Amino acid sequence: MQIESRLHDLGLSLPPPLQAPGGAALPFVAVRIVGERALLSGHGPQAPDGSLAGPFGKVGAGVSPAQAREAARLVALSMLGSLKRALGDLDRIAAWGRVHGMVNAASGFTDLPGVINGFSELILAVFGPEVGQHARSAVGLAELPWNIPVEVEAEVLVRRV
């Protein structure tokens, strides 16, 4: 329970499962375990009650880079919540492999890596560089589901039980 202790020490808590807006159907799993890999579906920022967290809109037009960076931190917590439910213990995570960050970017907004740094910095703070270091992309998209500012998908290596 080292990772959960670290979360507690950092004053962080994990949200419950996502409450999809408007009762939207999500016919897939948040985490798919395949051998020693956990594939994480795209996650958005969550509020403590499990709903999507605002602000909503495009980064660079309505959502500031600082707000988007904080949203990316909330995405990391959302993913950790999903991993906790799927694995039972976050200490089973052996390594973060790949992170694909997507930003709902206004035309001309180019600090996409700065936004996704909010995600990466939280993962590194919780897991340390040995486990938390990851390969990463940060791309801008014209739209994201439900007008969220940030979405991230990832792949982690897990220890077998």
Side-chain angles (χ1 to χ4, degrees), residues 2-141:
Q2 293 177 359
I3 296 303
E4 290 192 49
S5 176
R6 181 76 178 136
L7 287 166
H8 182 266
D9 291 348
L10 292 169
L12 302 171
S13 59
L14 305 180
L18 175 67
Q19 297 173 16
L26 303 175
F28 54 89
V29 293
V31 179
R32 171 97 162 113
I33 308 294
V34 180
E36 294 179 349
R37 296 180 346 186
L39 308 172
L40 289 106
S41 296
H43 281 62
Q46 279 186 265
D49 68 357
S51 64
L52 287 174
F56 298 95
K58 294 195 174 298
V59 182
V63 176
S64 74
Q67 290 172 311
R69 188 181 185 114
E70 179 58 27
R73 287 177 54 83
L74 294 177
V75 172
L77 293 173
S78 176
M79 274 195 176
L80 292 177
S82 292
L83 282 164
K84 167 76 173 148
R85 289 184 290 278
L87 300 173
D89 182 358
L90 292 173
D91 289 322
R92 286 189 57 204
I93 297 171
W96 282 80
R98 180 186 65 84
V99 168
H100 180 72
M102 297 161 272
V103 178
N104 187 357
S107 180
F109 180 77
T110 60
D111 189 19
L112 309 164
V115 169
I116 303 303
N117 282 351
F119 180 95
S120 295
E121 290 164 355
L122 187 135
I123 296 301
L124 287 165
V126 171
F127 289 91
E130 177 98 9
V131 174
Q133 195 59 256
H134 50 270
R136 191 187 88 179
S137 299
V139 299
L141 299 177

